[in-house]
Amino acid sequence: MRAPDAMSSQVNERQDGAMSMTEDGHMHDVVIIGGGIGGLSAAWRLRDRDVLLLEAGDRPGGRLRSEERGPYWLNFGAHLFGEASSPAGALADELGLEARPIPGDRMGIAMKGRLVAGGRSETFPLRLPLDLASRLSFVRMGLKLRGGVMQLLKVQAPVAGEGPAERRMRQLAFANAQTLEAYVGGLTPQVAGMLRTITERTAADPSEMAAGYGLTSFAQVWSKHSFGRNLYGGSSRLPQAIAAALGHRLRLGADVTHVEQKGDAVEIRYRHGGTEHRVMARHAIVATPAPVSARIMRGLPADTQDALGKVRYGPFLSVAVLTGERGPMPWDGNYAIATPGLSFGVFFNQASTLRVGPRQPGGSLMLFRGARGAAELMQRPDAEIEALFRSDLERLFPQAVGIVKEMQVQRWPLGAPYSFPGRAALQPALTRDLSRVHLAGDYLEFPCMDAAISTATEAAARINTLLDAQRPYGSTTGLRNTREPKDA
Ligand SMILES: Cc1cc2nc3c(=O)[nH]c(=O)nc-3n(C[C@H](O)[C@H](O)[C@H](O)COP(=O)(O)OP(=O)(O)OC[C@H]3O[C@@H](n4cnc5c(N)ncnc54)[C@H](O)[C@@H]3O)c2cc1C
């Protein structure tokens, strides 16, 4: 197989506006647009083909981002991986990465200076500093959410003979007519504030998100026996491992501007290093966030174009904190602590899986805010956000005074695509057969790494089948490139 970078056999000077255009004069099997975990996992599945992955940013991984710091790592994006049976867990295992289970029941809520952690969540109303009306309101909310989750789990149960697209549609349609706020009914302001904080990690306010979407986020936590796993060394190890296997077939800094099916091929145009490029492929996987896909794709059916534009995203803001404590800290036994009333809404202890054996000095935290709170904070300069978060961290845990060694702000304007009332009606247009162009991404189901990976893996499987079907009858070589890439 020829290396895409070495394939500029034919350089055409075109009069497309002011820019010249380079063409590699070569028909790729597949070009993938977007090097988040979706696009990367598709490229991994298609690595025996002539595949080219175009990523606009300067690193692979999209919303997975971590940076190593000695024995610790700073985390800025996705961090909770499922068990080995989940798509993200299986991919990490397949690539030989170490995923460590987050030990025990490590979730808590901090309110008015009291940290309530561990034990059954039903006992929280009794243990939190709430007045009587709020205690009752909390219990009512808990019962309503539990009831909804029980119904949802029935809907989520696999149905024999059903494909993934039908399963997604069924789950999206569950409780999709009203908001979560309307579904839970009236709450005291204190409990409404807690619900808002707890659900912010889904990128929307209870008044914006569909009830079924909010219930799915609770089901994800309540139906699992463990909290999940962290990648040892940080989440970025997964995209980095795939990027290393792809070698020159991953092109960073390639900003795709145009994807269009033309006859039996797809034309992709992108800007790279100040030059405009055009490549052709038998198939393309568009694994960019929905608004980007809507902008760069041409010739889509009107309802698909419309549906892509209607997908809604909420923002996330995270601040990664490297700490330099010399001994144990009060959060050592916790992974996630909801912090209603503070500038950040969740405190994550990213060193949780390292707390085995003697306590080593130092640590790593991620202070997180989602939805409207994040949108407001994002307008401020980094230094202001850091000062605010640091002061609230020290208010929450006075032991944190003087231990912060490094802080880094990460804004995610497109934090997560959330489901809103009526969202299910868009699904058929988003999952229809688009011939040689295939959509993938977390916006096609409940947003998480598993959604991105499974939609991209399904697109890759479809393409493999189609390419195999195009193999000339009797051909022994066919279109499949069975050689491993030289730097895999
Ligand atoms: C703070 C945070 C915490 C999270 N926590 C978790 C968690 O614990 N567990 C979990 O499962 N999920 C979590 N998620 C969600 C998870 O990160 C996403 O669902 C998943 O990473 C989405 O992957 P994707 O490939 O669909 O999209 P993305 O990661 O957004 O990838 C899209 C890629 O397309 C690229 N791109 C955009 N435009 C262009 C263009 N024009 N040309 C070329 N490339 C382009 C982008 O640069 C990006 O790399 C979290 C997300 C955030 C932000």
Side-chain angles (χ1 to χ4, degrees), residues 471-478:
R471 195 159 58 175
Y473 182 74
S475 157
T476 49
T477 51

Side-chain angles (χ1 to χ4, degrees), residues 34 36-38 55-56 62-63 78-80 254-256 292 316 442 448-449 452:
I37 196 58
E55 161 57 40
R63 281 171 274 162
H79 48 114
L80 281 166
D255 184 8
V256 175
V292 177
F316 286 155
D442 64 344
C448 60
M449 288 185 276

Side-chain angles (χ1 to χ4, degrees), residues 65-74 76 233 322 406 408:
R65 183 188 163 208
S66 63
E67 283 178 13
E68 301 195 25
R69 294 286 186 278
Y72 298 101
W73 55 91
L74 295 178
F76 302 89
L322 189 72
E406 181 182 349
Q408 269 196 56

Side-chain angles (χ1 to χ4, degrees), residues 240-303:
Q240 284 162 0
I242 301 178
L246 292 173
H248 51 260
R249 296 180 292 174
L250 164 63
R251 193 160 234 220
L252 297 175
D255 184 8
V256 175
T257 54
H258 186 112
V259 180
E260 184 174 9
Q261 179 164 344
K262 289 195 166 165
D264 282 348
V266 187
E267 179 194 53
I268 298 107
R269 296 185 192 189
Y270 65 96
R271 289 194 201 100
H272 184 263
T275 312
E276 199 147 333
H277 299 257
R278 187 175 91 117
V279 284
M280 300 299 291
R282 292 189 173 84
H283 291 270
I285 298 179
V286 182
T288 45
V292 177
S293 308
R295 175 166 53 79
I296 64 176
M297 293 174 79
R298 303 283 184 282
L300 283 175
D303 59 345

